Short mmCIF file of all heavy atoms in Angstrom, two decimals:
data_model
loop_
_atom_site.label_atom_id
_atom_site.label_comp_id
_atom_site.label_asym_id
_atom_site.label_seq_id
_atom_site.Cartn_x
_atom_site.Cartn_y
_atom_site.Cartn_z
N GLY A 2 -6.75 -19.00 0.93
CA GLY A 2 -5.79 -18.62 2.06
C GLY A 2 -6.10 -17.16 2.53
O GLY A 2 -7.24 -16.72 2.51
N THR A 3 -5.04 -16.44 2.80
CA THR A 3 -5.24 -15.08 3.27
C THR A 3 -4.32 -14.07 2.52
O THR A 3 -3.26 -14.54 2.00
CB THR A 3 -4.84 -14.98 4.79
OG1 THR A 3 -3.58 -15.49 5.03
CG2 THR A 3 -5.83 -15.83 5.59
N VAL A 4 -4.73 -12.86 2.44
CA VAL A 4 -3.85 -11.83 1.89
C VAL A 4 -2.94 -11.35 3.00
O VAL A 4 -3.34 -11.10 4.12
CB VAL A 4 -4.72 -10.56 1.40
CG1 VAL A 4 -3.85 -9.42 0.93
CG2 VAL A 4 -5.61 -11.07 0.28
N THR A 5 -1.63 -11.39 2.80
CA THR A 5 -0.70 -11.03 3.79
C THR A 5 -0.16 -9.55 3.70
O THR A 5 0.25 -8.98 4.68
CB THR A 5 0.59 -11.88 3.72
OG1 THR A 5 1.18 -11.80 2.47
CG2 THR A 5 0.13 -13.35 4.11
N LYS A 6 -0.31 -8.91 2.45
CA LYS A 6 -0.04 -7.50 2.45
C LYS A 6 -0.50 -6.95 1.08
O LYS A 6 -0.72 -7.72 0.07
CB LYS A 6 1.47 -7.22 2.46
CG LYS A 6 2.32 -7.68 1.32
CD LYS A 6 3.80 -7.25 1.54
CE LYS A 6 4.69 -7.96 0.45
NZ LYS A 6 6.04 -7.50 0.62
N VAL A 7 -0.82 -5.73 1.13
CA VAL A 7 -1.22 -4.86 -0.12
C VAL A 7 -0.26 -3.79 -0.20
O VAL A 7 -0.09 -3.01 0.74
CB VAL A 7 -2.73 -4.49 -0.14
CG1 VAL A 7 -3.01 -3.63 -1.32
CG2 VAL A 7 -3.59 -5.71 -0.14
N GLU A 8 0.41 -3.61 -1.34
CA GLU A 8 1.40 -2.51 -1.60
C GLU A 8 0.79 -1.50 -2.52
O GLU A 8 0.10 -1.90 -3.53
CB GLU A 8 2.67 -3.05 -2.13
CG GLU A 8 3.33 -4.07 -1.26
CD GLU A 8 4.46 -4.87 -1.99
OE1 GLU A 8 4.15 -5.79 -2.78
OE2 GLU A 8 5.61 -4.46 -1.76
N PHE A 9 1.14 -0.28 -2.41
CA PHE A 9 0.59 0.86 -3.18
C PHE A 9 1.76 1.47 -3.91
O PHE A 9 2.76 1.80 -3.32
CB PHE A 9 -0.13 1.91 -2.27
CG PHE A 9 -1.32 1.40 -1.56
CD1 PHE A 9 -1.20 0.62 -0.34
CD2 PHE A 9 -2.60 1.37 -2.15
CE1 PHE A 9 -2.33 0.14 0.34
CE2 PHE A 9 -3.73 0.88 -1.52
CZ PHE A 9 -3.58 0.24 -0.30
N PHE A 10 1.66 1.73 -5.19
CA PHE A 10 2.66 2.20 -6.15
C PHE A 10 2.17 3.49 -6.79
O PHE A 10 1.07 3.53 -7.35
CB PHE A 10 3.21 1.15 -7.03
CG PHE A 10 3.83 0.03 -6.37
CD1 PHE A 10 3.07 -1.12 -5.98
CD2 PHE A 10 5.18 -0.01 -6.11
CE1 PHE A 10 3.63 -2.18 -5.43
CE2 PHE A 10 5.79 -1.11 -5.50
CZ PHE A 10 4.99 -2.19 -5.14
N ALA A 11 3.07 4.49 -7.04
CA ALA A 11 2.85 5.55 -7.91
C ALA A 11 4.11 5.43 -8.82
O ALA A 11 5.25 5.64 -8.43
CB ALA A 11 2.79 6.91 -7.27
N ASN A 12 3.82 5.28 -10.14
CA ASN A 12 4.94 4.92 -11.12
C ASN A 12 5.69 3.68 -10.61
O ASN A 12 4.98 2.71 -10.27
CB ASN A 12 5.80 6.13 -11.37
CG ASN A 12 5.01 7.26 -12.05
OD1 ASN A 12 4.11 7.07 -12.78
ND2 ASN A 12 5.33 8.47 -11.58
N THR A 13 6.95 3.71 -10.48
CA THR A 13 7.67 2.61 -9.86
C THR A 13 7.98 2.73 -8.36
O THR A 13 8.64 1.90 -7.82
CB THR A 13 8.93 2.38 -10.67
OG1 THR A 13 9.74 3.54 -10.60
CG2 THR A 13 8.68 2.04 -12.10
N ASN A 14 7.50 3.83 -7.81
CA ASN A 14 7.81 4.15 -6.41
C ASN A 14 6.77 3.54 -5.44
O ASN A 14 5.60 3.73 -5.59
CB ASN A 14 7.79 5.71 -6.16
CG ASN A 14 8.84 6.35 -7.03
OD1 ASN A 14 10.01 5.85 -7.22
ND2 ASN A 14 8.50 7.51 -7.56
N LYS A 15 7.26 2.72 -4.49
CA LYS A 15 6.37 2.16 -3.52
C LYS A 15 6.00 3.26 -2.57
O LYS A 15 6.84 3.86 -1.95
CB LYS A 15 7.02 1.01 -2.82
CG LYS A 15 6.18 0.38 -1.77
CD LYS A 15 6.85 -0.89 -1.21
CE LYS A 15 6.02 -1.46 -0.12
NZ LYS A 15 6.74 -2.65 0.48
N LEU A 16 4.70 3.55 -2.46
CA LEU A 16 4.23 4.52 -1.45
C LEU A 16 4.07 3.94 -0.08
O LEU A 16 4.28 4.66 0.85
CB LEU A 16 2.83 5.05 -1.95
CG LEU A 16 2.76 5.72 -3.31
CD1 LEU A 16 1.34 5.99 -3.74
CD2 LEU A 16 3.58 6.98 -3.25
N GLY A 17 3.70 2.75 0.04
CA GLY A 17 3.50 2.05 1.39
C GLY A 17 2.84 0.71 1.16
O GLY A 17 2.61 0.33 0.08
N GLU A 18 2.60 0.04 2.34
CA GLU A 18 1.88 -1.19 2.34
C GLU A 18 1.00 -1.35 3.59
O GLU A 18 1.28 -0.70 4.59
CB GLU A 18 2.88 -2.36 2.18
CG GLU A 18 3.75 -2.58 3.39
CD GLU A 18 4.70 -3.77 3.20
OE1 GLU A 18 5.46 -3.75 2.27
OE2 GLU A 18 4.64 -4.61 4.11
N VAL A 19 0.06 -2.19 3.49
CA VAL A 19 -0.90 -2.50 4.59
C VAL A 19 -0.92 -4.03 4.74
O VAL A 19 -1.08 -4.69 3.67
CB VAL A 19 -2.28 -1.85 4.29
CG1 VAL A 19 -3.27 -2.15 5.39
CG2 VAL A 19 -2.13 -0.38 4.03
N VAL A 20 -1.02 -4.49 5.93
CA VAL A 20 -1.01 -5.94 6.11
C VAL A 20 -2.41 -6.48 6.59
O VAL A 20 -2.51 -7.69 6.81
CB VAL A 20 0.16 -6.41 7.10
CG1 VAL A 20 1.46 -6.05 6.49
CG2 VAL A 20 -0.04 -5.76 8.47
N SER A 21 -3.31 -5.68 6.77
CA SER A 21 -4.60 -6.09 7.15
C SER A 21 -5.69 -5.19 6.61
O SER A 21 -5.40 -4.06 6.42
CB SER A 21 -4.70 -6.27 8.70
OG SER A 21 -4.54 -4.98 9.28
N PRO A 22 -6.91 -5.70 6.43
CA PRO A 22 -7.96 -4.77 5.97
C PRO A 22 -8.38 -3.81 6.93
O PRO A 22 -8.15 -4.06 8.22
CB PRO A 22 -9.08 -5.75 5.62
CG PRO A 22 -8.71 -7.11 6.19
CD PRO A 22 -7.29 -7.08 6.55
N PRO A 23 -8.92 -2.70 6.60
CA PRO A 23 -9.23 -2.29 5.24
C PRO A 23 -7.86 -1.87 4.54
O PRO A 23 -7.01 -1.28 5.20
CB PRO A 23 -10.10 -1.07 5.38
CG PRO A 23 -9.72 -0.49 6.80
CD PRO A 23 -9.38 -1.68 7.59
N TYR A 24 -7.75 -2.19 3.29
CA TYR A 24 -6.50 -1.90 2.60
C TYR A 24 -6.61 -0.46 2.00
O TYR A 24 -7.08 -0.26 0.89
CB TYR A 24 -6.31 -2.95 1.44
CG TYR A 24 -6.23 -4.32 1.97
CD1 TYR A 24 -7.30 -5.24 1.66
CD2 TYR A 24 -5.24 -4.81 2.79
CE1 TYR A 24 -7.21 -6.52 2.16
CE2 TYR A 24 -5.18 -6.04 3.28
CZ TYR A 24 -6.20 -6.97 2.97
OH TYR A 24 -6.15 -8.18 3.45
N SER A 25 -6.10 0.46 2.75
CA SER A 25 -6.07 1.86 2.35
C SER A 25 -4.88 2.52 2.80
O SER A 25 -4.19 2.10 3.73
CB SER A 25 -7.28 2.58 2.94
OG SER A 25 -7.25 2.65 4.29
N PHE A 26 -4.42 3.55 2.01
CA PHE A 26 -3.18 4.29 2.26
C PHE A 26 -3.36 5.74 2.05
O PHE A 26 -4.00 6.09 1.01
CB PHE A 26 -2.13 3.69 1.36
CG PHE A 26 -0.81 4.40 1.50
CD1 PHE A 26 0.14 4.13 2.54
CD2 PHE A 26 -0.44 5.40 0.62
CE1 PHE A 26 1.31 4.75 2.69
CE2 PHE A 26 0.82 6.09 0.79
CZ PHE A 26 1.63 5.76 1.76
N VAL A 27 -2.95 6.54 3.04
CA VAL A 27 -3.03 7.96 2.85
C VAL A 27 -1.83 8.49 2.13
O VAL A 27 -0.71 8.35 2.71
CB VAL A 27 -3.20 8.75 4.18
CG1 VAL A 27 -3.33 10.23 4.02
CG2 VAL A 27 -4.49 8.17 4.92
N TRP A 28 -2.04 9.02 0.92
CA TRP A 28 -0.90 9.54 0.10
C TRP A 28 -0.74 11.04 0.40
O TRP A 28 -1.64 11.81 0.12
CB TRP A 28 -1.12 9.29 -1.28
CG TRP A 28 0.03 9.57 -2.21
CD1 TRP A 28 1.28 9.83 -1.95
CD2 TRP A 28 -0.07 9.67 -3.68
NE1 TRP A 28 2.03 9.96 -3.11
CE2 TRP A 28 1.24 9.93 -4.23
CE3 TRP A 28 -1.18 9.60 -4.57
CZ2 TRP A 28 1.47 10.10 -5.51
CZ3 TRP A 28 -0.87 9.76 -5.94
CH2 TRP A 28 0.42 10.00 -6.42
N THR A 29 0.38 11.48 0.98
CA THR A 29 0.57 12.88 1.29
C THR A 29 1.73 13.38 0.40
O THR A 29 2.41 12.60 -0.16
CB THR A 29 0.98 13.00 2.77
OG1 THR A 29 2.14 12.29 3.08
CG2 THR A 29 -0.14 12.60 3.73
N ASN A 30 1.79 14.72 0.38
CA ASN A 30 2.82 15.38 -0.46
C ASN A 30 2.80 14.85 -1.98
O ASN A 30 3.80 14.49 -2.47
CB ASN A 30 4.24 15.20 0.11
CG ASN A 30 4.30 15.82 1.48
OD1 ASN A 30 3.84 16.92 1.74
ND2 ASN A 30 4.95 15.04 2.38
#
């Protein structure tokens, strides 16, 4: 099938999510 989302976590805090490739997230602060 397909990947519908990729979520990024630091400890238990969700930093963000991406719904299409490339699966990357810019972590600020």
Side-chain angles (χ1 to χ4, degrees):
T3 58
V4 173
T5 57
K6 71 177 172 181
V7 173
E8 300 167 281
F9 298 86
F10 296 89
N12 300 322
T13 58
N14 300 318
K15 182 175 173 180
L16 300 172
E18 69 180 56
V19 179
V20 296
S21 61
Y24 303 113
S25 63
F26 177 79
V27 177
W28 189 15
T29 59
N30 300 317

